[in-house]
Amino acid sequence: MIRETKTYLARSLFPRENETATLLERLLSIIILFSVLLMTLNTEPAFQQQFAAWVEPIEFVIFLIFSVEYILRILLCGHLKTYRGVRGKIKHLLSPAAITDLLAILPNLIVFFFENLVFLRVLRLLRMLRIIRLVRNNRPLRLFAEAIISSWPQLAASLVVTFFILFSSAILLFFVEGKVQPDAFGSIPRAMWWAMATVTTVGYGDVYPITALGKICGGIVALLSIGVVALPAGIIAANFSQKIK
């Protein structure tokens, strides 16, 4: 009975790549989302005043659940060939997934030894790292993360193009609008703010060209910016599609 329970827990905590999310993983994902939602609401003073008596006990129960899960993962990681033996357990402890698990429960342990309120607030915010665990517990999210990692060479190339357009746009508006608006475009670093807002398609509107030639140049930069923003999305989407296939 004990052996069967260990096997079941090991398979639930360490499913194979081609398997769907287990019931335990789904429950843990729900608890993670709930804990992050609880912590987000707890930053609101009105919520703190009304539910302060409930938040700490619930957070403590969540901490116990994640602590038990962390210990079980260490004990049962030998279910996978990669983590068998003492070296395997050490390898598991140093893996990104295990470090993320530790960071999720570590703030709860440290708060007992410190009284600095600012430091405690920072530690409590670190609990938001729990949401990173959803990537491991959810296969589509894991595939999306893998797609971003595998897209890095192409993303790096698109980043170089983006910086080139950004710098070129700042130089262009410096020559066109520099004398007319010295406060906004009087130097290339000043013009960089407009270029950043335009190339990223944010368009704050606090700085903009006023001359006819400046508006024409600004329009051209704005049109180029659409492709700059769409390029990384297309690269990630293509790699994500390949990962799913």
Side-chain angles (χ1 to χ4, degrees):
M1 183 67 180
I2 297 176
R3 187 176 181 180
E4 292 177 355
T5 304
K6 286 184 178 180
T7 303
Y8 173 76
L9 288 173
R11 289 179 178 177
S12 299
L13 292 170
F14 300 98
R16 297 176 181 176
E17 284 292 326
N18 57 350
E19 292 180 346
T20 57
T22 62
L23 178 61
L24 182 58
E25 283 188 312
R26 292 174 183 175
L27 288 174
L28 289 172
S29 297
I30 293 173
I31 294 172
I32 291 170
L33 289 173
F34 175 76
S35 66
V36 172
L37 176 63
L38 180 65
M39 184 180 171
T40 303
L41 293 174
N42 199 40
T43 58
E44 176 61 43
F47 183 87
Q48 290 179 0
Q49 293 176 1
Q50 189 170 358
F51 299 101
W54 292 91
V55 172
E56 290 298 329
I58 293 174
E59 182 61 40
F60 183 72
V61 172
I62 294 173
F63 161 70
L64 288 179
I65 293 172
F66 288 142
S67 298
V68 171
E69 184 217 357
Y70 180 73
I71 294 171
L72 286 175
R73 285 187 180 274
I74 295 174
L75 295 175
L76 301 175
C77 65
H79 176 73
L80 301 176
K81 292 182 180 180
T82 310
Y83 301 131
R84 287 179 183 173
V86 178
R87 290 185 178 180
K89 290 188 182 298
I90 295 174
K91 184 178 180 181
H92 169 72
L93 288 171
L94 297 177
S95 65
I99 292 174
T100 304
D101 292 343
L102 180 61
L103 290 175
I105 62 175
L106 199 59
N108 296 80
L109 296 173
I110 299 177
V111 291
F112 293 111
F113 304 100
F114 290 91
E115 296 181 356
N116 189 306
L117 293 178
V118 177
F119 185 68
L120 291 180
R121 287 180 180 179
V122 174
L123 283 175
R124 289 192 175 102
L125 286 175
L126 286 177
R127 297 173 188 172
M128 295 289 286
L129 291 172
R130 291 171 182 169
I131 202 167
I132 300 176
R133 299 184 51 194
L134 291 177
V135 177
R136 184 186 63 197
N137 295 340
N138 188 291
R139 189 166 183 268
L141 286 177
R142 192 165 64 249
L143 289 175
F144 184 72
E146 292 175 1
I148 294 176
I149 294 172
S150 62
S151 302
W152 174 242
Q154 298 95 325
L155 291 175
S158 68
L159 189 64
V160 172
V161 174
T162 301
F163 276 116
F164 176 76
I165 295 176
L166 183 69
F167 192 64
S168 300
S169 302
I171 294 174
L172 181 63
L173 266 294
F174 163 67
F175 283 111
V176 175
E177 294 276 333
K179 294 182 179 180
V180 181
Q181 298 188 77
D183 292 337
F185 300 97
S187 66
I188 294 176
R190 293 181 187 180
M192 286 286 286
W193 170 249
W194 171 88
M196 179 69 72
T198 305
V199 171
T200 56
T201 68
V202 175
Y204 285 112
D206 57 338
V207 177
Y208 52 89
I210 58 176
T211 65
L213 182 58
K215 290 180 179 179
I216 293 174
C217 294
I220 295 172
V221 172
L223 290 174
L224 291 174
S225 303
I226 298 173
V228 169
V229 173
L231 186 59
I235 292 171
I236 295 173
N239 284 309
F240 185 52
S241 177
Q242 290 179 359
K243 290 289 182 181
I244 292 176
K245 291 180 181 180

